[in-house]
Amino acid sequence: MPDAALTNEPKSIVCDGNEAAAWAVSLAKPDMVAVYPITPQSSLVEYVSQFIADGKIDADLMDVEGEHSVMSVLHGACLAGARTYTATCGPGLYYMFEPYVRTPGMRLPIVMSVVTRDGLTPQSVWGGQQDAMMLRETGWIQIYCESVQEVLDSLIMAFRIAEHRDVMLPVNICHDGNYLSYGVTKVFLPEQEMVDDFLGDKDTNWHVALDPDRPMSVDPLTGGEGPGGPSTFVRYRQGHCAGMQNALRVITETHEEWERKFGRCYAPLIEEYRLDDADYAIVTIGSMSGAGKDAVDVAREQGQKVGLIRVKTFRPFPMEALRNTLTKVKAIGVVDRSVSFAWNCGPVFQEIQAALYQLKERIPAISFIGGLAGSDITGEHFARVIEATGNQLAGDMTESPVWLNENE
Amino acid sequence: MEQTKYLIAGCSHAALSALNSIRMLDQDGSLTLVTKDDHLPYSPTVLPYIVSGQSKPEKVKLRDDEFFAQNKVNFISGAGLSTLDVDNNSVTLQNGQEWQYEKLLLATGAAPAIPPIPGLTDTPYHVLRTMDDAVNLHAALESAKSAVVLGGGLIGMHAAENLIKVGVQVTIVEMRPQVLPGYFDAEAAKIIEQTFIENGVAMRIGNTVVGAAPDGEGAKVSLDSGDEITADLLLVCTGVAPVISYLEDGPVETDQGILVNDCMATNIANIWAAGDVAQAVNFYSGEKSVGGILPAAVEQGRIAGMSMINDPAINPYPGGVPLNTYGFFGNQAISVGVSDENALPKDTEVLLNVNEEEMTYQKILIGEGCLLGISGINTDFDPGIMWQLVLQRVDLEPVKEEFLSNPTDTGRDLMSRTWR
Amino acid sequence: MGHSHNTIAFHQDKCDGCGECMTVCAGAKSGTADTLHSRLKIVPSIAANDSFELALCRQCGDPKCVLNCPSGSLTKNHKTGVVPWDAEKCVDCLLCTVGCAYGGITYNAAAGHVMKCDMCDGDPACVKSCPTGALEYNRSAEIYNNYGELEDLFVPGLAACQGCNSELLIRHTMRKIGSNAVVATPPGCIAGMGTVGFNGKTGSKIPVFHPLLTNTASMLAGAKRYYNRIGRDVTMVALAGDGGTVDAGFQSLSGAAERGEQMLYICVDNEGYMNTGMQRSGSTSFGSWTSTTPVGETLHGKTQDAKNMPVIMMMHNCEYVATASLAFMDDYYEKLDKALAAAKRGMAYLHVYSPCPTGWRIPSESTNEVCRKAVETNFVTLWEFAPDEGLRFTHSTDDPLPVEEYLNLSGKYRHLDDAQLTHIENSVERKVAFLNGFMLATSDDGAESLAQ
Ligand SMILES: Cc1cc2nc3c(=O)[nH]c(=O)nc-3n(C[C@H](O)[C@H](O)[C@H](O)COP(=O)(O)OP(=O)(O)OC[C@H]3O[C@@H](n4cnc5c(N)ncnc54)[C@H](O)[C@@H]3O)c2cc1C
């Protein structure tokens, strides 16, 4: 995909997703990067630290004593006007949770990579999206990448999305632990001036600041039954929701702009693969999508009218885009790399069910759960997924969830 | 007509003390100080030292123009009050100016009371109340070799001492049986008189002057004893009388002085009086009487000023107490409160300690466990503390023994514990 | 605004009547050892054995001696506060002594003049000579003069409890620091009284925010780093409670201190979560009643000693660590000065003991008394520490009052039994001994006393 016509001779390097993320950070020129190492994110912050040490990134490196402080120092810096970045996952994310949850409420446009990891217990240091899926109701924007190049490109775009005045929300760029974090490939590096031009001046605290030149109280107690309490609180919530909805438009426009500038085109919200004449589709998220596409190609060769739907933007939930896409098929199978314990299915499946409810006609769907704790979702797994999904068309229903790796 | 919020007549202790109180709470209200005298404020008490030459007139001023500027005081000298129109809240000054006030304080003090001695008006004599008096008297000493002082009160005694110190032969004539009555009893007065005699002053105690006549440049006075005394210089110090002539026929109530209540207010709204001019309540008798001492003028002025600005911290005037600190020929006599037990109930405790050899004297009077008075010569105690012990009626019963033997330390102990 | 003046304070409970002050005063002022020439007078108290009282000029604001003086020899110097006496103008009439109700200006028969204290030009000899600390040169007036006219950076009507020590502290502190600052008030009384405000209304005139209970130091560190990056010198101030400091906020504070983040972190220690119902914290003292260490049949208050947070902070690469108490305001201001200077280089940590009238069950008017007694009994020690200067006591720990005199003031200790009391006495002694040892090992003062 990455070989569209470029205005300049592109510079390319060979690296893994963590290094690609570090390159993206260097190009986005944040003022502050706060780090605390955690598998499988560690090499990312090592790269960033080395870049700063080498003078490639002109940013304050705050190697603090834990993820809780990572997010907290970014809060302080962002409130003072800084562009900020960090990365974490798994236990680090859980430890960060208190300030993490607070970030979008203060409308701080912080960008953070989640190098997804399964866990927490049974103990696991391997890939899986359980950590990222836990963040669904925290009010952050969440974008899931498929490839190393997409990690790099999305991360740069994330700053523009986050700082957009119609959005002003923090963004998580999720890339799968192991598959993307350590998967090595060739990536193109955008030109610095073009990135500068693309991102424009940083714009992080026009609305809220800790600045003696603009004294204000940041985050006073709000709500309760006092005069104006409920309405003030509701206004904050409504504003946050509106920012989320605006983000759908902004993400789309940003991707369009990216394509115009850098020549690489990504579906901003929902990607459709070989869907035009498909009878049914499988739904994927993250790095598994590549294997999924290959499996679709194979099935197509065998005459199956199957396509693939990739969820790229998961928060805000792209309801309209998804509805448009889903109307094109008559059955789906959703593959998750994490679990919704309460619904006994995958979380993406769960949410797509909600989207299905909005269709004129009901179509059948199956929840597949695979790739937990670093296990593979191979072509063979996807063949099973495609088969079971297609069987629904003939009335052959499979009970959800299907645990893809349960016999390995 | 000129307007002022506060008008104060007089610029001596009572006036300045009131000014102080007013400016404590109201730094900007227009304030005018008018005085008859031509000088910057000074104290009559310092005049004996001008007479002797120990102090120079320009060195003893109590306030200067800078102070008045800083405190936004409009100071008008050489222009005493001549009439008062209470209906119009206005006064006329001797220089013809008319002033309307919101609040008026009369602090015009006292002036020498001249006794009705036959021939005195035709005889050249001096008094000592104003700076000009003192300067004149000082000049007169150049040529004078002898002087006769009428009156053995504080002013006369001060003057006499200062005269003899510059070599003038002095005679004091006092009609009462002792000097300094009211502050010291006969026994203490005797010690003082003796010291004067030893220092060459002729004392004619218990003698009344019955006539006066010029004698060349000087004067001749005749006593009831038949004696005649001639001197180059005659000084009349027979007492003072409040300066209230400007109130004549007006509605402000007067007796010997201007009658005031315990906030120094007169019977007329917006008019107060304080100091030697006022007739305020006496601490012991509860009757109103004129005082004529400096600490009382300061205290009354303070209260008057507080009352004029409605200072909520005001405490009513507790009443006048005789107070005297009197230095003579290197000795110190101090008296606080009553000095003569004869005026007191029979059960008053009297502790008397006299050592004629060392010329020390001390008397303590205690009634109902409280200090009524303490007086001494060459014994030290803190008069300010004693004054408060009297006023606050501090119970001395628990410390009486110690107090009688060491009033200084015991007084300090009590002070520190009672009003620390 | 008027001018205020330093005074010589007399702590009667410390005076043993040795009279050294009088000897020194006589020497300084008259060149003799005869205490008759002393301008201050210590007298034995008749009311109590071994107790002494003092007569000394109070340099009254509205001195009656001056009003009583007929010769202009006494004046009030409104700049220095002293009432000087001009011998040349004096006519020895002693009327001044009538005006003074304090025995402050007295007749010195041997000299033939009155005499009075002139404060030795702001360096009183008597105070320096006092071996027990009974005489103190109280400089708190300077605080008023220096800071009284500065703007109070909090709004009137903060909703602190009556007698709240914390409100006093924050108003003083920010007045001094000024508005070029960012202030963090994590959850606790200081935030609860409305400094950050409610529903869009603020309680401060400066940038102020609620950090989380847990991340005060980190948030400030982030903001500070950015201001440094863009070349702006902005002071970061934490006004945090003990819960947000010694418990939940400890890690972020520890990390920030270790990294040398530049800020002034003030822990206002009221020994528990007083804002939310008086629960125990790691800073709650042994034996204290709190709502989570209640007193009943089996439990009798807290069963552990408090964490010694300032000592912990000494081992944290801080540029400056000090303890303070608002009963010793001049000491606090001196430390605040040093802390602000240190906060430009790294972490400055002030630990201020802050009795809570509501939570400790003390009458609201006696907060300051409790502050003072805490120090005088060594329950609280006042000291400062800088890495290259070591530890120095700013209030002597010698001859403390019995700890009970402090404990008796607070309802939270009302139930203490003998064993608990003994425990507290011992731990107070241990803490002081530890600090003394540390002082000896680290400071010049200590080195000197070791050498002797
Ligand atoms: C020689 C001498 C020695 C003394 N020694 C002592 C002593 O040792 N101890 C002691 O306690 N007391 C002593 N006194 C008394 C003491 O000085 C007075 O009690 C004190 O000065 C009273 O203050 P005052 O303000 O009431 O009045 P005064 O001092 O009398 O001042 C009156 C003021 O009013 C002004 N004035 C007068 N008439 C008018 C007018 N019509 N309009 C406007 N202004 C007017 C005068 O110019 C003067 O400024 C002494 C007095 C004298 C004269």
Side-chain angles (χ1 to χ4, degrees):
Chain A
M1 183 193 29
D3 326 77
L6 296 180
T7 45
N8 292 320
E9 191 57 31
K11 192 160 104 190
S12 63
I13 57 168
V14 173
C15 69
D16 65 15
N18 279 353
E19 186 178 349
W23 278 104
V25 171
S26 112
L27 288 163
K29 294 186 173 172
D31 298 293
M32 181 181 290
V33 178
V35 297
Y36 190 87
I38 184 156
T39 305
Q41 160 264 36
S42 298
S43 65
L44 194 167
V45 302
E46 289 162 16
Y47 284 122
V48 171
S49 303
Q50 190 63 48
F51 285 180
I52 292 175
D54 295 344
K56 271 201 199 107
I57 302 179
D58 170 25
D60 254 306
L61 174 67
M62 291 198 70
D63 38 0
V64 298
E65 80 293 341
E67 288 84 354
H68 193 283
S69 281
V70 163
M71 187 50 66
S72 301
V73 298
L74 296 190
H75 282 184
C78 194
L79 285 165
R83 179 178 280 173
T84 55
Y85 171 79
T86 187
T88 190
C89 62
L93 181 63
Y94 308 144
Y95 181 45
M96 180 191 281
F97 217 56
E98 190 190 19
Y100 176 89
V101 170
R102 192 184 198 198
T103 314
M106 289 200 290
R107 309 297 294 269
L108 300 180
I110 292 170
V111 174
M112 174 173 118
S113 292
V114 179
V115 188
T116 64
R117 166 171 165 173
D118 221 321
L120 225 171
T121 286
Q123 281 285 335
S124 157
V125 294
W126 299 283
Q129 293 172 349
Q130 195 69 40
D131 54 356
M133 283 298 157
M134 242 178 77
L135 306 175
R136 283 182 291 165
E137 291 316 334
T138 56
W140 282 62
I141 289 169
Q142 261 194 348
I143 291 171
Y144 287 78
C145 300
E146 176 184 341
S147 67
V148 172
Q149 183 74 53
E150 194 179 14
V151 168
L152 189 150
D153 293 350
S154 301
L155 206 43
I156 295 172
M157 282 190 273
F159 287 95
R160 181 158 150 165
I161 296 162
E163 292 174 19
H164 194 288
R165 288 204 172 194
D166 292 344
V167 177
M168 292 308 285
L169 285 168
V171 176
N172 281 151
I173 300 298
C174 306
H175 69 260
D176 288 333
N178 299 35
Y179 290 92
L180 290 176
S181 64
Y182 304 148
V184 174
T185 176
K186 173 181 169 184
V187 293
F188 294 95
L189 287 182
E191 290 293 327
Q192 181 67 62
E193 297 95 272
M194 287 171 68
V195 172
D196 291 348
D197 186 50
F198 175 79
L199 288 181
D201 289 339
K202 66 171 178 252
D203 191 15
T204 67
N205 71 339
W206 58 275
H207 61 302
V208 58
L210 286 174
D211 184 348
D213 291 347
R214 285 186 286 153
M216 65 173 85
S217 276
V218 172
D219 209 3
L221 225 55
T222 303
E225 289 176 5
S231 61
T232 311
F233 196 87
V234 168
R235 250 193 356 267
Y236 276 107
R237 283 288 186 259
Q238 285 173 333
H240 190 164
C241 287
M244 274 297 209
Q245 289 309 302
N246 293 343
L248 292 168
R249 188 192 82 235
V250 172
I251 292 168
T252 305
E253 290 167 0
T254 306
H255 279 72
E256 287 163 4
E257 172 75 8
W258 183 264
E259 183 186 359
R260 272 196 297 279
K261 259 211 153 74
F262 299 97
R264 282 188 292 281
C265 168
Y266 304 95
L269 308 174
I270 299 295
E271 182 186 350
E272 298 180 358
Y273 183 76
R274 302 190 79 166
L275 209 61
D276 286 345
D277 61 342
D279 288 333
Y280 64 100
I282 60 172
V283 182
T284 62
I285 185 165
S287 62
M288 69 167 90
S289 306
K293 286 171 183 172
D294 289 348
V296 165
D297 290 346
V298 171
R300 281 277 179 174
E301 274 166 29
Q302 293 165 354
Q304 298 286 330
K305 289 190 132 187
V306 61
L308 180 143
I309 300 169
R310 171 163 80 97
V311 178
K312 175 167 183 184
T313 298
F314 190 54
R315 284 292 181 269
F317 192 70
M319 181 62 98
E320 198 186 328
L322 199 60
R323 204 167 49 208
N324 292 339
T325 300
L326 289 172
T327 49
K328 296 178 180 172
V329 293
K330 298 191 182 61
I332 56 167
V334 183
V335 186
D336 272 281
R337 286 194 71 186
S338 59
V339 179
S340 165
F341 299 104
W343 288 78
N344 192 27
C345 63
V348 180
F349 173 79
Q350 177 205 340
E351 301 216 4
I352 284 185
Q353 273 191 316
L356 289 177
Y357 182 80
Q358 302 209 350
L359 301 187
K360 282 217 183 66
E361 278 173 41
R362 272 190 73 181
I363 61 168
I366 306 169
S367 171
F368 300 92
I369 297 173
L372 300 185
S375 59
D376 275 343
I377 312 180
T378 61
E380 190 265 326
H381 288 120
F382 272 116
R384 276 163 54 197
V385 169
I386 290 169
E387 188 187 355
T389 304
N391 286 347
Q392 293 178 105
L393 293 174
D396 180 3
M397 305 312 231
T398 302
E399 200 184 326
S400 293
V402 178
W403 300 84
L404 294 175
N405 311 91
E406 79 184 309
N407 298 317
E408 292 163 18
Chain B
M1 183 167 330
E2 312 261 5
Q3 313 275 338
T4 184
K5 183 166 185 187
Y6 307 102
L7 181 66
I8 300 179
C11 73
S12 180
H13 290 288
L16 295 174
S17 181
L19 164 64
N20 200 57
S21 297
I22 292 170
R23 280 294 182 243
M24 202 77 82
L25 290 198
D26 181 358
Q27 281 88 25
D28 298 311
S30 56
L31 194 156
T32 306
L33 204 58
V34 300
T35 180
K36 191 168 85 179
D37 217 281
D38 282 325
H39 303 273
L40 281 167
Y42 62 87
S43 171
T45 303
V46 85
L47 297 176
Y49 308 93
I50 301 286
V51 174
S52 70
Q54 180 186 334
S55 301
K56 297 278 170 272
E58 62 280 4
K59 285 277 171 80
V60 297
K61 51 182 183 280
L62 296 175
R63 302 287 187 274
D64 55 16
D65 290 331
E66 193 192 329
F67 170 86
F68 290 134
Q70 258 172 19
N71 289 275
K72 298 189 189 154
V73 175
N74 178 24
F75 177 60
I76 305 176
S77 59
L81 217 70
S82 65
T83 61
L84 168 63
D85 178 353
V86 301
D87 296 328
N88 201 25
N89 288 340
S90 69
V91 300
T92 49
L93 305 185
Q94 285 155 351
N95 65 4
Q97 282 183 10
E98 283 186 83
W99 281 84
Q100 198 162 31
Y101 57 83
E102 286 175 33
K103 302 185 178 196
L104 171 66
L105 174 65
L106 302 171
T108 49
I114 305 303
I117 298 169
L120 185 56
T121 43
D122 303 323
T123 312
Y125 66 90
H126 287 264
V127 292
L128 187 54
R129 184 70 193 190
T130 67
M131 183 59 80
D132 293 345
D133 295 342
V135 171
N136 286 340
L137 187 53
H138 179 69
L141 295 184
E142 298 250 313
S143 50
K145 301 223 158 21
S146 58
V148 58
V149 176
L150 303 195
L154 207 52
I155 300 174
M157 297 292 277
H158 262 303
E161 178 175 349
N162 280 301
L163 291 174
I164 199 137
K165 278 184 178 161
V166 294
V168 177
Q169 175 55 53
V170 187
T171 306
I172 295 176
V173 186
E174 169 56 56
M175 102 190 158
R176 283 167 291 190
Q178 66 164 87
V179 296
L180 300 171
Y183 298 112
F184 298 99
D185 69 359
E187 194 164 358
K190 194 106 247 125
I191 298 174
I192 297 169
E193 289 158 16
Q194 198 53 42
T195 309
F196 270 68
I197 292 166
E198 279 161 20
N199 281 279
V201 179
M203 301 297 285
R204 305 300 300 262
I205 309 295
N207 281 294
T208 307
V209 176
V210 293
D215 181 58
E217 293 286 284
K220 180 173 75 184
V221 297
S222 14
L223 308 186
D224 55 355
S225 62
D227 292 350
E228 280 188 353
I229 309 166
T230 52
D232 300 339
L233 199 149
L234 170 61
L235 179 58
V236 179
C237 302
T238 47
V240 294
V243 176
I244 51 175
S245 50
Y246 50 84
L247 294 178
E248 246 166 52
D249 304 329
V252 178
E253 256 175 37
T254 59
D255 175 24
Q256 285 167 289
I258 302 171
L259 292 166
V260 291
N261 68 10
D262 59 7
C263 290
M264 301 298 131
T266 68
N267 64 313
I268 303 296
N270 299 337
I271 303 182
W272 287 258
D276 282 8
V277 78
Q279 188 171 342
V281 74
N282 177 283
F283 177 76
Y284 298 98
S285 68
E287 306 284 314
K288 290 181 182 177
S289 58
V290 289
I293 54 170
L294 189 155
V298 167
E299 192 58 18
Q300 294 179 7
R302 190 176 69 83
I303 290 170
M306 291 175 90
S307 175
M308 289 167 78
I309 37 158
N310 292 319
D311 189 329
I314 192 170
N315 279 322
Y317 185 56
V321 169
L323 297 163
N324 209 325
T325 54
Y326 174 54
F328 60 102
F329 300 105
N331 304 288
Q332 291 299 337
I334 300 177
S335 150
V336 174
V338 184
S339 52
D340 191 346
E341 65 272 24
N342 294 324
L344 296 171
K346 284 271 161 312
D347 58 357
T348 303
E349 286 179 63
V350 183
L351 182 102
L352 184 64
N353 246 320
V354 188
N355 183 332
E356 278 177 31
E357 206 109 305
E358 306 211 330
M359 228 185 79
T360 62
Y361 163 97
Q362 181 167 286
K363 181 193 263 184
I364 298 174
L365 300 177
I366 292 181
E368 292 175 2
C370 301
L371 183 65
L372 294 174
I374 175 167
S375 49
I377 298 173
N378 294 333
T379 55
D380 77 313
F381 52 83
D382 303 314
I385 291 177
M386 298 302 147
W387 186 13
Q388 290 303 314
L389 291 178
V390 171
L391 287 182
Q392 300 187 18
R393 296 192 166 89
V394 173
D395 182 12
L396 294 183
E397 219 43 78
V399 296
K400 199 154 80 194
E401 212 172 295
E402 292 87 350
F403 186 82
L404 294 177
S405 67
N406 187 347
T408 310
D409 282 359
T410 312
R412 289 170 184 174
D413 176 24
L414 284 169
M415 171 279 297
S416 186
R417 284 193 279 129
T418 320
W419 59 87
R420 190 198 301 276
Chain C
M1 203 176 280
H3 212 66
S4 182
H5 307 293
N6 297 335
T7 52
I8 295 174
F10 177 56
H11 302 296
Q12 189 205 25
D13 49 346
K14 294 192 187 141
C15 179
D16 63 5
C18 73
E20 185 63 17
C21 53
M22 296 197 281
T23 310
V24 166
C25 179
K29 295 299 165 191
S30 314
T32 127
D34 184 347
T35 57
L36 278 178
H37 293 273
S38 170
R39 297 166 184 201
L40 79 170
K41 300 101 194 168
I42 300 286
V43 294
S45 171
I46 296 159
N49 278 343
D50 297 328
S51 178
F52 298 86
E53 301 285 348
L54 170 74
L56 170 66
C57 173
R58 297 165 189 223
Q59 320 291 352
C60 296
D62 180 22
K64 240 199 244 171
C65 59
V66 172
L67 287 172
N68 271 11
C69 174
S71 66
S73 72
L74 286 165
T75 46
K76 170 80 180 175
N77 184 329
H78 288 283
K79 248 209 193 114
T80 61
V82 174
V83 175
W85 169 70
D86 182 346
E88 222 176 286
K89 287 186 176 173
C90 182
V91 294
D92 302 322
C93 71
L94 307 197
L95 278 165
C96 51
T97 66
V98 178
C100 181
Y102 305 107
I105 184 161
T106 53
Y107 182 61
N108 178 351
H113 287 306
V114 291
M115 60 180 176
K116 71 177 294 300
C117 167
D118 62 3
M119 307 280 276
C120 295
D121 284 332
D123 188 19
C126 54
V127 172
K128 288 188 287 188
S129 78
C130 177
T132 63
L135 288 172
E136 179 204 358
Y137 189 55
N138 188 317
R139 292 171 197 273
S140 48
E142 277 169 23
I143 293 167
Y144 176 82
N145 293 335
N146 294 345
Y147 308 112
E149 288 192 36
L150 299 181
E151 189 179 9
D152 184 348
L153 294 174
F154 295 100
V155 300
L158 291 179
C161 302
Q162 215 175 43
C164 177
N165 195 59
S166 308
E167 180 176 353
L168 184 71
L169 173 92
I170 64 171
R171 288 188 189 276
H172 271 277
T173 303
M174 290 318 300
R175 213 181 253 269
K176 158 93 201 178
I177 294 173
S179 57
N180 187 26
V182 168
V183 179
T185 66
C189 293
I190 296 169
M193 71 177 76
T195 48
V196 189
F198 303 98
N199 289 324
K201 298 208 169 55
T202 180
S204 314
K205 306 179 196 168
I206 29 175
V208 64
F209 67 105
H210 283 135
L212 300 165
L213 186 60
T214 42
N215 70 358
T216 305
S218 296
M219 282 187 73
L220 287 174
K224 179 64 178 175
R225 290 271 195 116
Y226 182 67
Y227 279 118
N228 283 351
R229 180 176 169 82
I230 60 174
R232 275 178 64 186
D233 184 12
V234 178
T235 305
M236 299 294 142
V237 185
L239 300 172
D242 51 292
T245 302
V246 315
D247 289 348
F250 180 67
Q251 173 170 324
S252 72
L253 174 58
S254 169
E258 178 266 331
R259 293 190 305 273
E261 305 288 359
Q262 298 161 1
M263 71 182 73
L264 168 55
Y265 193 107
I266 300 179
C267 173
V268 186
D269 182 4
N270 57 21
E271 300 189 353
Y273 297 90
M274 297 296 137
N275 186 51
T276 47
M278 293 90 88
Q279 299 88 357
R280 148 212 215 278
S281 82
S283 201
T284 302
S285 54
F286 178 91
S288 290
W289 169 91
T290 70
S291 57
T292 52
T293 55
V295 176
E297 284 280 303
T298 41
L299 297 177
H300 307 97
K302 196 183 175 210
T303 51
Q304 306 85 10
D305 280 312
K307 219 184 253 192
N308 196 338
M309 188 66 185
V311 166
I312 294 170
M313 290 307 285
M314 279 201 291
M315 300 293 106
H316 258 82
N317 300 349
C318 289
E319 288 291 330
Y320 184 72
V321 178
T323 61
S325 160
L326 291 201
F328 300 83
M329 206 45 128
D330 41 351
D331 179 62
Y332 176 65
Y333 266 94
E334 272 175 35
K335 287 170 175 171
L336 196 52
D337 265 335
K338 292 183 189 174
L340 282 168
K344 292 200 184 297
R345 306 188 301 269
M347 174 71 70
Y349 178 82
L350 289 180
H351 195 99
V352 185
Y353 295 95
S354 190
C356 167
T358 309
W360 293 19
R361 312 285 195 246
I362 55 182
S364 53
E365 74 274 11
S366 55
T367 312
N368 220 30
E369 165 76 1
V370 176
C371 282
R372 182 175 293 281
K373 274 277 156 44
V375 172
E376 290 177 343
T377 57
N378 278 356
F379 190 88
V380 159
T381 47
L382 298 183
W383 49 265
E384 61 182 0
F385 171 81
D388 45 1
E389 280 158 32
L391 184 142
R392 187 177 78 85
F393 285 101
T394 60
H395 188 276
S396 169
T397 54
D398 299 341
D399 306 319
L401 299 175
V403 181
E404 259 184 292
E405 285 194 25
Y406 165 68
L407 301 175
N408 286 342
L409 297 175
S410 298
K412 71 168 180 167
Y413 296 120
R414 193 170 297 136
H415 58 279
L416 293 186
D417 59 27
D418 286 349
Q420 285 174 306
L421 186 62
T422 309
H423 176 106
I424 294 172
E425 284 166 351
N426 289 341
S427 75
V428 164
E429 264 174 42
R430 259 200 318 276
K431 259 162 59 179
V432 171
F434 171 80
L435 286 169
N436 267 303
F438 199 86
M439 186 266 288
L440 290 174
T442 56
S443 73
D444 288 350
D445 289 3
E448 250 167 56
S449 45
L450 275 183
Q452 280 163 15

